[in-house]
Amino acid sequence: MVNSNAYAKSNFEPLGYEMTFEEGGDFPPIEITLKNNLKVKLIGRIDRIDKLVCEEGVFYRIIDYKSGSKDFKLSDVYYGLQIQLMTYLDAIIKGYEVSKKEKALPAGVLYFKLDNPIIKENKNISEKEIEEAIMKELKMRGLVLADTNIVKAMDKDIELQGTSLIIPAELKKKDGSLSARSSIATVEQFYSLREHVRKNLIETCEKMLEGEISIRPFRKKDSIPCTYCTFSSLCRFDTSLESSKYNIIQELKDNEVWDKLEERIVPKKRRRINESRKLD
C-alpha cells in the first residue's frame, strides 16, 4: 500500500512514474565518457521523480519503491553498492541543466516501502494515532537536502510534530533547525556524492572493457551477496580455493564518508571554478 497521505502533506509534485532512461524513453540513456573517449550508455527505469519549483531553482527528488525494508547507507553508496538513486539524480540534474537551461538542484533520494502494515489492536487508540502508526511504518528512508524550507515542503506537518513521519528529518525544538538525527546533505555534499558515483561508474566500465571480471563478492561484517544469489552454480565461488577471496569492506560512518569525499572531490571542483574565473 502506498500511503497517499504522505504525498498530500508535501508540496512536491510528481514529474512522472516509472520513468525510463533509454532511446525513445522519457529521458535519453545515461551516457558516461571513459578515459579513451569511448562512450557507454546506461539504461534503466526509476519508480518516481518529484519536483518543486522555487525562486532558487527547480528541486528534484528520486523515489524508489521497495517491497521490503531498504536502508540507505552512505557507506554503501561510497563503495558502489547503492548507486542507483544517486545515478538517476545526477542524470536528471545534469540533463535539465543542459536541455532546459534551468537551475536544477537536488532535493533528495528516498526509498519508499510498499506495504500494508498491521497495527496491533488497541481499543484506546484513536484514528489519528492509527494513521500516524501506519505512516511511521511507511516512513521513507534516504537522504534529503539540508534546507529547512525544502524539508518543510516535503512534510507540511514537520513544524507541528518536530519529527517527520514521512522523511528522515527532524527539527530542533530550540530554533527549528535540522537536528543531527536527520539524514541530510548540503548541495555541495550532494555534488560530491554525485561526482564520486560517476567516477565509480567510469572505473567499473573501464575495468570490464579491459577484461577484469574476477569473482570477488563483497563482505562487510556478516553480510555477503552470495546468500541470495541465484547464479552460484555459474559463479562457483569457493573460499577453500586460493583464487576465491572476498572484497572486504570496512563500513564507514557518515562523517567519515563526507571527509573522504571532501578530500577527493571538493578540491577538484574548486580548481575548476578558479580556472573558469581566470578565463572570464
Side-chain angles (χ1 to χ4, degrees), residues 219-273:
R219 181 166 197 158
K220 55 174 186 173
K221 294 183 179 179
D222 297 325
S223 174
I224 56 172
C226 306
T227 306
Y228 304 103
C229 182
T230 58
F231 297 99
S232 57
S233 59
L234 296 174
C235 173
R236 300 298 178 91
F237 181 79
D238 186 347
T239 53
S240 65
L241 301 175
E242 181 65 26
S243 58
S244 295
K245 294 182 179 180
Y246 284 111
N247 177 19
I248 306 297
I249 288 177
Q250 301 295 330
E251 195 158 351
L252 301 171
K253 295 179 181 178
D254 288 358
N255 65 298
E256 292 176 320
V257 172
W258 295 130
D259 287 344
K260 286 180 177 293
L261 293 178
E262 178 76 18
E263 294 171 4
R264 295 183 57 186
I265 305 298
V266 174
K268 294 179 182 178
K269 181 184 178 185
R270 288 173 181 154
R271 282 200 298 271
R272 284 201 295 270
I273 292 173

Side-chain angles (χ1 to χ4, degrees), residues 5-201:
N5 285 334
Y7 298 129
K9 294 177 184 294
S10 172
N11 288 328
F12 275 76
E13 296 181 353
L15 179 67
Y17 300 88
E18 295 189 354
M19 304 193 80
T20 57
F21 293 76
E22 60 186 1
E23 299 291 351
D26 299 296
F27 300 97
I30 298 170
E31 187 173 275
I32 57 176
T33 304
L34 308 186
K35 291 177 181 178
N36 56 5
N37 288 324
L38 185 68
K39 296 185 184 298
V40 175
K41 293 183 178 181
L42 307 176
I43 61 173
R45 182 192 304 268
I46 192 65
D47 292 323
R48 181 182 177 117
I49 301 174
D50 291 347
K51 74 173 186 177
L52 177 71
V53 181
C54 299
E55 290 183 4
E56 299 92 333
V58 184
F59 292 84
Y60 292 94
R61 69 176 183 182
I62 308 295
I63 298 178
D64 191 29
Y65 296 151
K66 293 295 181 185
S67 57
S69 297
K70 177 72 173 179
D71 283 328
F72 179 89
K73 294 185 178 181
L74 272 178
S75 181
D76 285 351
V77 177
Y78 181 82
Y79 285 119
L81 304 179
Q82 278 187 3
I83 62 171
Q84 181 190 31
L85 297 184
M86 202 57 61
T87 299
Y88 287 131
L89 179 67
D90 183 53
I92 289 293
I93 290 177
K94 292 188 69 173
Y96 279 134
E97 283 178 340
V98 174
S99 65
K100 294 190 175 183
K101 306 298 180 183
E102 70 179 23
K103 187 177 181 181
L105 296 163
V109 288
L110 297 160
Y111 290 117
F112 197 129
K113 183 181 179 182
L114 290 175
D115 196 6
N116 190 10
I118 298 174
I119 307 301
K120 290 183 180 180
E121 186 176 355
N122 184 335
K123 63 181 181 180
N124 296 321
I125 193 170
S126 66
E127 288 293 328
K128 183 180 180 181
E129 289 172 327
I130 292 173
E131 180 183 332
E132 289 181 353
I134 291 173
M135 292 184 68
K136 186 177 180 181
E137 288 293 320
L138 298 176
K139 184 173 181 175
M140 292 188 281
R141 301 178 182 182
L143 191 68
V144 296
L145 185 64
D147 183 315
T148 53
N149 290 327
I150 297 302
V151 167
K152 290 174 184 177
M154 290 190 194
D155 183 358
K156 299 174 186 177
D157 292 341
I158 192 171
E159 282 189 281
L160 297 174
Q161 298 164 336
T163 300
S164 174
L165 298 176
I166 301 172
I167 58 173
E170 179 180 323
L171 299 181
K172 295 178 183 178
K173 293 181 180 179
K174 185 177 180 180
D175 58 7
S177 62
L178 289 161
S179 79
R181 286 190 287 271
S182 303
S183 180
I184 54 177
T186 64
V187 171
E188 183 99 335
Q189 287 173 326
F190 265 109
Y191 173 88
S192 298
L193 207 55
R194 288 165 47 210
E195 286 281 302
H196 178 73
V197 168
R198 195 183 310 127
K199 184 174 182 293
N200 277 349
L201 281 171

